[in-house]
Amino acid sequence: EESLQMWDLNKRLEAYLARVKFLEEENEGLRAEIQSAKGSPAGDPWRAKYEEELRALRAALDHAFREKYTAELARDNLYEEVQHVKSRCQKEQAAREEAKKQLSASKKELEEERRAQIWLKERAVQLEKEVEALLEVHEEEKAGLDQEIASFSQSLESFRCVPVAFQPVEVEDYSKRLSEIWRGAVETYKTEVSQLERSLCQAKESLWKAAEDNQQTQLQLQHLEKDLAGLKARKEMLEESLSRQWQEQRGEAEKFQLAIEALEQEKQTLRVQIAQVLEDRQQLMHLKMSLSLEVATYRTLLEAESTRLQVPPG
């Protein structure tokens, strides 16, 4: 029975020794690979390949980030330009509203000037009619006075015997006074007519000035409308360019995101593979240690058994 146990132990020991030898050889190979990897990191083909791919992916990622930064700068510049165009459009709109207000005020002033001109024309016609009526009345009064003077002169000739009773000087004074009054009235009406003519000329000048201002305002308004149309067209073009660039940037960002996700997946895969390799190495080390302990135990048992067999019986 002891012989069978020893034979079984010998078989197991041979198997363990063969396994230990194999593991030691594999360990030596792994140690050589580790030393070669430590000594020359570029010598390992798969490591160099992965490192080269990682460098290429990092370079592509840096290039993508730089392009993204450039696109963001272009987007910010376009946004600032759009804001500038919007502010300019608002200024142009305010200027247009101001021009419309000035135009409406000029139209009101022109209407008032026209009304004043019409009133002045009517007033001038009325004054002319009044002057004509006064002239006719004056002529009639003068003719009546002439008739009265003629009748007085005839009566004076008929009554020469009593020259003291009549005073033709008073009639002449009365006619002179009437002539002076008529002259004063005529001069007053002439003064009023001249003042009305001056007012009419001033009103005409104001009317011409208002018409010129209205024409200039119309020209300025047309110019502002042309500028506004050009700015609207430029705004639409900039908005289209901005939307197109936004779409391009979104597409590039999606591509970059997909590339980054692929890189992350590959990174995770590499991490899993490296962890698996490390775990395999760790398991091999543990197996080696356990086998070494078992070999040491069997050696101890064998030495004890050999010692027991070599000792002679007491």
Side-chain angles (χ1 to χ4, degrees), residues 109-122 124 128 193-213:
E109 292 179 358
L110 181 63
E111 190 67 26
E112 290 178 357
E113 292 293 336
R114 287 178 180 174
R115 291 176 182 175
Q117 185 179 4
I118 293 169
W119 181 80
L120 289 172
K121 286 181 180 180
E122 292 177 354
E128 287 178 357
V193 169
S194 63
Q195 289 179 357
L196 289 173
E197 287 178 353
R198 285 195 296 271
S199 300
L200 184 61
C201 291
Q202 291 178 359
K204 287 181 179 180
E205 290 178 358
S206 300
L207 183 62
W208 282 107
K209 189 181 292 182
E212 290 178 356
D213 292 338

Side-chain angles (χ1 to χ4, degrees), residues 126-295:
Q126 185 179 1
L127 290 173
E128 287 178 357
K129 290 180 179 179
E130 290 179 357
V131 168
E132 290 177 357
L134 289 173
L135 288 173
E136 290 178 357
V137 171
H138 179 69
E139 291 294 333
E140 290 177 357
E141 290 179 354
K142 187 176 180 182
L145 288 173
D146 291 336
Q147 290 178 2
E148 288 180 0
I149 290 168
S151 63
F152 280 133
S153 62
Q154 290 177 3
S155 61
L156 285 173
E157 288 178 359
S158 61
F159 295 99
R160 290 179 181 176
C161 60
V162 284
V164 183
F166 298 97
Q167 294 179 358
V169 179
E170 294 180 357
V171 176
E172 291 179 356
D173 292 337
Y174 180 69
S175 62
K176 288 179 180 180
R177 195 176 295 113
L178 288 174
S179 299
E180 290 175 357
I181 291 169
W182 180 75
R183 288 193 189 94
V186 170
E187 291 295 332
T188 303
Y189 283 119
K190 285 181 179 180
T191 304
E192 290 181 357
V193 169
S194 63
Q195 289 179 357
L196 289 173
E197 287 178 353
R198 285 195 296 271
S199 300
L200 184 61
C201 291
Q202 291 178 359
K204 287 181 179 180
E205 290 178 358
S206 300
L207 183 62
W208 282 107
K209 189 181 292 182
E212 290 178 356
D213 292 338
N214 188 12
Q215 189 176 2
Q216 291 179 0
T217 305
Q218 289 286 341
L219 292 174
Q220 187 177 3
L221 182 61
Q222 291 177 0
H223 183 66
L224 289 174
E225 287 179 352
K226 289 180 181 178
D227 292 339
L228 183 61
L231 289 173
K232 285 182 178 179
R234 183 173 175 79
K235 179 183 177 184
E236 291 176 355
M237 182 176 66
L238 289 173
E239 286 179 351
E240 290 178 357
S241 177
L242 183 62
S243 63
R244 186 168 59 253
Q245 289 187 1
W246 267 105
Q247 292 177 358
E248 292 177 357
Q249 289 178 6
R250 191 179 293 110
E252 291 178 357
E254 290 177 355
K255 290 180 182 178
F256 291 150
Q257 189 67 31
L258 292 174
I260 290 168
E261 290 177 357
L263 290 174
E264 288 292 335
Q265 290 179 359
E266 190 172 357
K267 183 179 177 183
Q268 293 295 330
T269 305
L270 290 173
R271 283 183 178 178
V272 170
Q273 290 178 1
I274 292 169
Q276 187 67 32
V277 171
L278 292 174
E279 188 177 357
D280 292 339
R281 289 184 180 181
Q282 192 70 24
Q283 289 179 359
L284 289 172
M285 292 297 292
H286 284 297
L287 183 59
K288 180 183 175 183
M289 290 175 67
S290 63
L291 289 173
S292 298
L293 290 174
E294 192 172 356
V295 167

